[in-house]
Structures are given as C-alpha cells and as structure tokens.
C-alpha cells in the first residue's frame, strides 16, 4: 500500500486551524534535539511500536497521525509500520524537517549534530579506505571494501540501511533525560 503523504505547507495550514494535531518525529534523539517542529513528539524509528503510539493518543485515535523525519524516507518506513499494524490514518510529511524549515511551522532549534545520513557516509568511506590500506598488508582485506560496497548497493535497492540502524543505536546518537547542554559526552 502506498504511503499517504502531506505537504509541509498543508500541515502548517492544518496546525493553524487545529493546534491539537499530533506529529511524530522518528529521527534519533540527537537529530530531534538539533531541530524539530515545535509540536512534534520524538519516537525514534528503531523503537517505534505503532500500537503503543496509538494507545497514547487519548481519544485521538481516529484523527490523522502525522509522521516526520529528516527528508521523508524514515517517515515513510514508519507509516508502513503503522499500516501493517492496521492503522490507516497515518500521513508522512513530504520532504521531512528540511522541507518544514521553509514553511511557517514553528521550529525548536538546539545543539548541532551530524545527521545519521552523514554518519553513514563517514563510516562507509572510512571502512572502504581502511580495507584498501590494509590490502597492502594482505589482499584479503579488499573483502572489507567489497562488503561495504555490497551493503551500500543493498541499501540503495531496498531503502534499508543496516549501518544506519547500527549507528542510530550508538551512544552519541542518544540523549539522556538529564542532558540540557550541547556538550559532548
């Protein structure tokens, strides 16, 4: 089933009329802390349970639920999870938070962070370079570069990135409840 979506402009218009609409941001807590739509609730994709989210809506279960991420890709995956769980009235925000920055939606800005997408590029590039450098010691290390390349092809074909899932669970992509400053841990 194709994911139903909504433009950031239409979301802004709806929010002006009804400030109680619910928006779930499925990015990592660090990405959320950097910038998010003011009325969004952070529920990271790697821990998303559609039934729990819907149960917490207190009487708003039949109203639309809006889902957002950085660019729309993870939001679409979240919508698919909701649809598989039997919840149809879920809409993905087209273009994600990046597109919302160009609208009248209220944003909250916090600490700068390296996006998950950039972290994947850094890690993949580093592993490829490491595999090539180590191949001077033993040619078998070229397998590391080949493995990363195959992973990137798989991610491109399936829109599922194992490295991103792994990186999203790293300590630097987590925000503790007591973190109020932007210093590194």
């Amino acid at each position: 089933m194709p994911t139903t979506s909504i433009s950031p402009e239409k979301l802004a218009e709806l929010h002006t009329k009804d400030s109680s609409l619910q928006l779930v941001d499925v990015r990592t807590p660090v990405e959320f802390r950097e910038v998010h739509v003011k009325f969004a609730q952070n529920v990271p994709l790697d821990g998303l349970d559609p039934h729990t989210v819907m149960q917490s809506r207190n009487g708003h279960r039949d109203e639309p639920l809006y889902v957002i991420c950085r660019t729309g890709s993870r939001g679409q995956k979240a919508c698919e999870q909701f649809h598989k769980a039997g919840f149809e009235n879920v809409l993905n925000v087209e273009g994600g938070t990046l597109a919302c920055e160009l609208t009248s939606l209220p944003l909250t800005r916090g600490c700068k962070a390296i996006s998950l997408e950039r972290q994947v590029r850094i890690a993949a590039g580093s592993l490829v370079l490491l595999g090539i450098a180590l191949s001077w010691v033993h040619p078998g290390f070229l397998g590391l570069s080949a493995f990363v390349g195959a992973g990137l092809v798989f991610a491109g074909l399936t829109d599922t990135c194992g490295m991103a899932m792994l990186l999203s669970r790293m300590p630097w992509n987590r925000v503790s409840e007591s973190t109020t400053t932007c210093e590194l841990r």
Side-chain angles (χ1 to χ4, degrees):
M1 170 181 194
T3 300
T4 307
S5 61
I6 185 171
S7 71
E9 295 80 14
K10 182 68 174 170
L11 182 67
E13 180 185 321
L14 291 173
H15 182 257
T16 303
K17 295 175 185 172
D18 178 11
S19 63
S20 70
L21 64 82
Q22 293 181 300
L23 176 66
V24 172
D25 191 320
V26 295
R27 296 175 299 151
T28 66
V30 170
E31 291 175 297
F32 182 79
R33 184 180 64 184
E34 180 180 3
V35 62
H36 62 270
V37 176
K38 195 171 208 134
F39 57 92
Q41 172 191 4
N42 188 221
V43 181
L45 183 60
D46 67 348
L48 179 66
D49 178 10
H51 292 285
T52 302
V53 171
M54 289 306 206
Q55 286 174 356
S56 71
R57 295 190 71 199
N58 297 331
H60 297 280
R61 186 179 176 143
D62 295 330
E63 294 178 16
L65 176 66
Y66 303 94
V67 180
I68 192 168
C69 64
R70 182 173 183 268
T71 61
S73 179
R74 283 178 276 175
Q76 183 174 357
K77 287 184 185 311
C79 287
E80 290 168 3
Q81 285 186 26
F82 278 101
H83 292 158
K84 284 179 186 172
F87 305 108
E88 298 298 324
N89 203 3
V90 181
L91 294 97
N92 185 32
V93 179
E94 297 168 358
T97 304
L98 291 179
C100 288
E101 290 183 284
L102 305 174
T103 68
S104 61
L105 284 167
L107 299 175
T108 299
R109 293 188 185 278
C111 306
K112 282 296 224 182
I114 297 176
S115 73
L116 197 56
E117 182 181 328
R118 283 185 56 207
Q119 290 179 46
V120 167
R121 287 189 230 147
I122 291 167
S126 298
L127 288 171
V128 167
L129 287 174
L130 179 65
I132 291 170
L134 289 175
S135 72
W136 289 35
V137 175
H138 188 280
F141 282 109
L142 283 174
L144 175 61
S145 298
F147 178 73
V148 172
L152 291 172
V153 170
F154 177 80
L157 292 173
T158 64
D159 202 21
T160 301
C161 183
M163 190 179 293
M165 288 188 272
L166 178 67
L167 286 170
S168 71
R169 292 189 163 110
M170 292 294 118
W172 58 83
N173 284 322
R174 298 286 175 200
V175 176
S176 68
E177 294 297 322
S178 62
T179 304
T180 57
T181 64
C182 295
E183 56 194 61
L184 295 173
R185 288 183 264 151

